[in-house]
Amino acid sequence: MELLVASAIGTLTAGGVYLLLRLRTFPVILGLALLSYAVNVFLFASGRLAIDMSPILSKYGDASYTDPLPQALVLTAIVISFGMTAVLVMIGLGAFLEAESDRIDIDPSEDREDKTKDGDA
Amino acid sequence: MSDSGHFLFLIALLPFIGALVPGLMIRAGRTACAVFTAVPTALALILLMTLAPSVMRGEVVQAQVEWLPQLGLSASFFLDGLGLLFATMILGVGLLITLYARFYLSGDDPMGQFYTYLLLFQGAMLGIVISGNILLLLIFWELTSLSSFLLIGYWKHLPEGRQGARMALAVTGAGGLAMIGGMLILGDIVGSYELVDILAAGDQIKASEWYLPALILILLGAFTKSAQFPFHFWLPHAMAAPTPVSAYLHSATMVKAGIFLMARMWPVLSGTDAWFYIVATTGLVTMVLGAVIALFKDDLKALLAFSTVSHLGLLTMLLGFGTQAAAVAAVFHIINHLTFKAALFMTAGIVDHETHTRDIKRLGGLRHLMPVTFVVGTITALSMAGIPLFNGFLSKEMMLEEASHTKWLGSYYVIPVFATIGALLSVAYSYRFIVHVFLGPVRDDYPHHPHDPPAGMWLAPALLSVLVIVIGVMPFVAEALVTVAANAVTGADLHPHLKIWHGVTPALYMSVFAIIGGAVLLVLHAPMARIWNASPRPEAKVLFDWFVNSVAGASRWISEQSHNGAISRYLAIFVVTSVVVGASAFVGSGLSAPTRGLLSVPPVIAIGWFMLVVATISVVVMHHNRFRALVLIGVIGLTISAGFVYLSAPDLALTQISVETVTIMLLLLALHFLPKTTPKESPMGLKIRDGVIAVLAGAGVGGLAYAFMLRDIDTISDYHIANSYEGGGGTNVVNVILVDFRGYDTYGEIIVLGIAGLIIYAVMHALLDGPASRRLRNIDYSQDRSRDRHPLMMVVVTRVLMPLAAMVGLYIFLRGHNEPGGGFVAGLVIAIALLMQYMASGFAWTQARQRIEYHFMIGTGVIIAGLTGAGAWLFGRPFLTSSYTYIHLPPIEEFEIATAMLFDLGVFLTVLGAVMLMLYSLSRIARYAGETVNLEPMDYDPAKPATGEKEDN
């Protein structure tokens, strides 16, 4: 089981990083989505894996529980990563509508415009 | 702390408090503004005078309050003779300048601003001279650099003013940074940053191997501030400031800060060869160089600026001699220089104000037109020249006396000769100030017909010129103050006698030679000026600009090389660096043996894992088709939710599944406006490079996860499990952690989420108001629009589902404290139910039925959560302490209700509001893009496809 989870984290990370390095906004956003899956599962796994040990206190005092702390952290992380994705999507969309291009890199030829502007020294 | 200690705090604070007033009071008129500036200054001066008697008796007034004891920084103040001398000068001249500036500045200048800056500067300067902690002193030191920047650049419309202010800030600021280093070294040697401790540890400091670095760094700060060679060039450029500023900053205060510092540190740092050769030589060079340049300047203020440079050099040299007699001379000359130089600056300002020029070549003959100004200017200029019966003569004699028996590199001639040359040049430019401006025939080509200014303007310099004569004729009146200040500098018990006639001494010969030689130089001035102007010489401003430009150019080159606008490159560097750092940490430390076994894998789970891996690889391979990639992302998210269920994380599963839904909706909406495919443009080399990086990163993270999953750790979670029910009143430990144990974190997180929602809303508005809006209107989206936009079945089902979904949301919310669920999940569930309405029945239809603004929801949520937390204060508990009780309502079983639930309500509202605001903003763009909207649901009509749609306008 641990091997499966670890390899899933690894695959998600690799896919996320690869998409992150693409040149257009949309794949980068997808890459970030994959990476946030990977990070969330990674954080969750730091509490070690457990089956049938939900952190819901049992009425019969003899139950054992999995580590609840990483779960609480990941829960908010999931919601926050949604917020972050939404902001990125909006900014990417705005950039595309303003520039008519969804490239994320500045073209080196456009970069030279403000070189002539120096201080008024 | 005694009462007098409290007074010290008040003195330090008064200018800063006062600084708030003039800026606000300017509407009450310019005179009122000046009065409101004078009041705090005068108050501080009166308080200072109440402390003066005890200081004059040789006591030291101290006051201290701990500020940051961890850093050794305390707000401690310290008033001894030296501080008293400087504080009196700062406040006294401050009053005179306030009066003078009232009449000098024109009605067009923002006078309130001026006085505010002036008080800020005065406070900073005062802070330097009465600080009892060197860290505090450094803070005030930097404040003087900043506030003088504002004052020098006060006439913002003048480029010279801006450039001069920048140059002054760059030079004095850089020196200040060096001084911080030096002071920290001092504090480190002594083990305390208190001035008292440092002054007592002179021998320890001089014996330390860090003495020389500390000395050089501190002197860099002092020399830049006091315009010593080779940093003298900023002072003349700072003359672009209004004349009151020049008179205040450049005669009495700011440039004297460096002198003050050298005097303050004199017992600690002086007396070594390094001190003598660095300080005395710099002072000597500055004195002669400044005087030479001053002689050939045609601008009145430039002449005075370089003469100030020269006199500061003289003071520096005296302090550099390291003898007690020289220190007495320095202290006396500080007073004398203040009186004549401030008056001279104000005189120059009056001449400028009345004739509209400061060019000496266009002036002359003003003695008939401006008799009062002539008298004041002549008295003070003669004092600057060092003519007997004026106070400048006394301290210059003492300087020459000291110079005459000081040995420099084995020679008894170097210092006396150069000191005499400096004095001679000083006489020459002082004569020139009198002769070329006031004497000579009356001209008829002044830019403006001059006459004496109103009394308000000449009163201040006239008062100073009276002081010049009083001290010059009766030097014993200044004796007490000089004695107490000199004792503070030297730490000895001196009894100097200030008198006019010392007998026939070498100094007298030197003085006579200077006075006669100066007159000769003035006669020869015209031919010498021609030679001077023809000869090439380095222009400091050009060098400075060249230096600044080359540093800026180099920085630009470096940032362009490393920061070329390619985000993908930065990301690649970032990922590779993370992998390398992580891997190197792994390599260095040995891995302990695994302590946990592997869990078994049922076949269903293996299939889930397989789906996840295949879907991930497919996303990567097929990401060019963006819709397909989205579907696959959905598959991944759902698989992960299922995994959470299996691995004992029901809360996570619920959250993940609802977030997944919302995310996909969001991306779908965005994709509506974005290209539907990603072009295949990466060259093979790039793909391989990125692939390698990705695989390395994946292997690293996966390996790390595998490694720690096989090992046990100590966790603090047992505490949470044990106290969840007892302390938090809930059995769902995850929820209790969220709303109780770590409630503060959650509070921060919902605020972040709310801000994200507001950002999106704001970006949407910026877009719709910008050039993008025209583009949006012209895009033709018809090809991806369905004919049946609002299918009957979907409308009916969502409408039926709405109350059910709301019920489920409520249920999830209520059970959250004890069973999986809670505010986060409930908020998402309700959000999805609402979004379904938008999708099924259309934007306009749903919007028309929306009663509560989403911003309001976010705000209410945050406020409810915050108030719940603050409620704990009422019971004397820390923020966000929760409490709970059990209630029994007849039809329902007994249940417990916790304040944490109220907090969770805040979470719920914020999440709901933020998510809705985000998707609402995206859909508004769609509406703006010219999409028709329906006001009725189910607008499908096969016979007339276009009817039923109304243009939204």
Side-chain angles (χ1 to χ4, degrees), chain B residues 363-376:
Chain B
L363 295 167
L366 292 180
R367 72 179 181 284
H368 301 297
L369 300 167
M370 305 169 72
V372 177
T373 316
F374 165 64
V375 172
V376 171

Side-chain angles (χ1 to χ4, degrees), chain A residues 1-2 4 7 14 22 24 37 48 50 52-53 55 57 67 71 76 96-98 102-103 105-106 120, chain B residues 162-163 166 565 567-568 599 601 609 626 648 660 673 681-682 690 694 708 711 717 731 733 749 775:
Chain A
M1 191 68 214
E2 278 80 1
L4 293 194
S7 59
R22 297 303 90 207
R24 303 281 172 161
Y37 289 141
R48 310 304 184 258
D52 289 338
M53 286 195 231
L57 297 183
D67 191 342
Q71 293 198 16
T76 48
F96 172 70
L97 291 174
E98 296 273 344
D102 61 349
R103 291 184 65 89
D105 292 353
I106 297 171
D120 57 342
Chain B
R162 299 198 300 268
Q163 287 165 21
R166 272 212 307 267
I567 300 174
S568 51
L599 295 172
V601 181
W609 173 83
R626 294 177 171 184
S648 317
E660 198 54 44
F673 306 99
E681 57 189 347
S682 300
D690 293 347
F708 71 55
R711 286 161 182 82
S717 301
T731 55
V733 186
E749 268 157 311
R775 198 164 295 133

Side-chain angles (χ1 to χ4, degrees), chain A residues 1-31 33-34 37-38 40-58 65-100 102-108 111-112 114-115 117-121, chain B residues 162-163 166 556 560 565-568 571-572 575 596-601 605 609 612-613 616 619-620 623 626 629 633 636-637 640 644 646-652 655-656 659-660 662-663 666-667 670-671 673-675 678-679 681-682 687 690-691 694 697-698 701-702 704-706 708-709 711-713 715-717 720-721 724-725 730-734 737-738 749 752-753 756 760 763-764 767 771-772 775-776 818 820 824 915 918 922 925:
Chain A
M1 191 68 214
E2 278 80 1
L3 195 56
L4 293 194
V5 174
S7 59
I9 295 173
T11 315
L12 286 169
T13 309
V17 168
Y18 182 80
L19 288 178
L20 198 65
L21 300 178
R22 297 303 90 207
L23 303 173
R24 303 281 172 161
T25 48
F26 199 75
V28 172
I29 291 168
L30 291 184
L34 287 187
Y37 289 141
N40 289 341
V41 178
F42 181 90
L43 286 180
F44 166 70
S46 70
R48 310 304 184 258
L49 304 185
I51 294 162
D52 289 338
M53 286 195 231
S54 305
I56 311 291
L57 297 183
S58 156
Y65 308 103
T66 185
D67 191 342
L69 201 55
Q71 293 198 16
L73 296 182
V74 170
L75 198 150
T76 48
I78 292 173
V79 181
I80 291 288
S81 63
F82 162 72
M84 188 195 70
T85 309
V87 170
L88 272 179
V89 165
M90 197 67 196
I91 290 172
L93 182 59
F96 172 70
L97 291 174
E98 296 273 344
E100 280 186 282
D102 61 349
R103 291 184 65 89
I104 60 166
D105 292 353
I106 297 171
D107 194 339
D111 188 27
R112 298 282 173 258
D114 52 359
K115 273 204 77 171
K117 283 185 228 154
D118 282 344
D120 57 342
Chain B
R162 299 198 300 268
Q163 287 165 21
R166 272 212 307 267
R556 191 181 305 120
E560 272 174 13
I567 300 174
S568 51
L571 288 171
V575 173
R596 291 170 71 99
L598 292 176
L599 295 172
S600 62
V601 181
I605 298 303
W609 173 83
L612 181 81
V613 172
T616 311
V619 170
V620 171
H623 76 269
R626 294 177 171 184
I633 289 272
I636 297 170
I640 289 177
F644 282 143
Y646 181 71
L647 293 170
S648 317
D651 279 285
L652 289 192
T655 315
Q656 180 72 56
V659 164
E660 198 54 44
V662 189
T663 310
L666 176 93
L667 287 171
L671 204 49
F673 306 99
L674 288 170
T678 306
E681 57 189 347
S682 300
K687 285 186 185 174
D690 293 347
V701 175
L704 179 61
Y706 186 65
F708 71 55
M709 276 191 281
R711 286 161 182 82
D712 284 306
I713 42 154
T715 159
I716 56 167
S717 301
H720 296 125
I721 292 175
S724 173
Y725 190 71
T731 55
N732 179 1
V733 186
V734 174
I737 290 176
L738 282 176
E749 268 157 311
V752 171
L753 194 68
I760 289 177
V763 171
M764 183 264 298
L767 271 183
R775 198 164 295 133
L776 268 174
N818 292 318
F824 276 109
V915 172
M918 290 169 186
L922 266 173
I925 292 185

Side-chain angles (χ1 to χ4, degrees), chain B residues 96-113:
Chain B
L96 296 181
I97 293 295
T98 307
L99 170 68
Y100 179 78
R102 159 66 188 85
F103 294 93
Y104 181 85
L105 291 177
S106 79
D108 301 334
D109 295 319
M111 195 178 267
Q113 255 180 40

